[in-house]
Amino acid sequence: QVQLVESGGGSVQAGGSLRLSCAASGYTSRSYCMVWFRQAPGKEREGVAIIYTGNGRTYYDDSVKGRFTISQDSAKNTVYLQMNSLKPEDTAMYYCAASPSGGSCYWGARYYNYWGQGTQVTVSS
């Protein structure tokens, strides 16, 4: 059973930075799609960044492209989300999710089997 634990959320002013971490344990497959989702109150959960652990390929939603960077430390089984130039509209609960994959990753939350508990990010203007 894969377990995911997020950390690193907090409150920051607009223009600031935060780094989220997602520590994984219990991997049973060779490669996974790891995704950071976020959900603001009253809004649907949306994917913001994906990394395929097999080759490190990354994908970003347009809303965060150029500001957020997803990366992995394979030795630590940890995925990071570096968030720079934060905006008030980035305020949300951020979740890490994972699903075993042979190479194709998808944005829809329904494709992901394993979820962390979430970490809150609040950006004030």
Side-chain angles (χ1 to χ4, degrees), residues 18-109:
L18 285 172
R19 189 177 81 157
L20 306 183
S21 299
C22 173
S25 61
Y27 276 152
T28 57
S29 293
R30 195 171 196 175
S31 300
Y32 287 79
C33 294
M34 303 292 296
V35 189
W36 284 100
F37 286 90
R38 66 185 180 187
Q39 189 167 20
K43 294 189 176 180
E44 291 191 359
R45 192 168 294 192
E46 61 175 357
V48 297
I50 297 174
I51 188 165
Y52 175 56
T53 64
N55 59 15
R57 183 167 291 182
T58 59
Y59 308 87
Y60 297 94
D61 185 77
D62 286 345
S63 65
V64 306
K65 204 171 290 182
R67 301 188 297 121
F68 290 11
T69 302
I70 189 170
S71 62
Q72 62 174 338
D73 183 333
S74 299
K76 295 182 179 179
N77 282 343
T78 299
V79 171
Y80 303 98
L81 186 67
Q82 178 66 44
M83 305 186 295
N84 298 329
S85 302
L86 282 161
K87 304 175 181 180
E89 51 263 45
D90 294 318
T91 294
M93 185 70 80
Y94 282 71
Y95 298 90
C96 176
S99 184
S101 174
S104 297
C105 297
Y106 303 96
W107 286 107

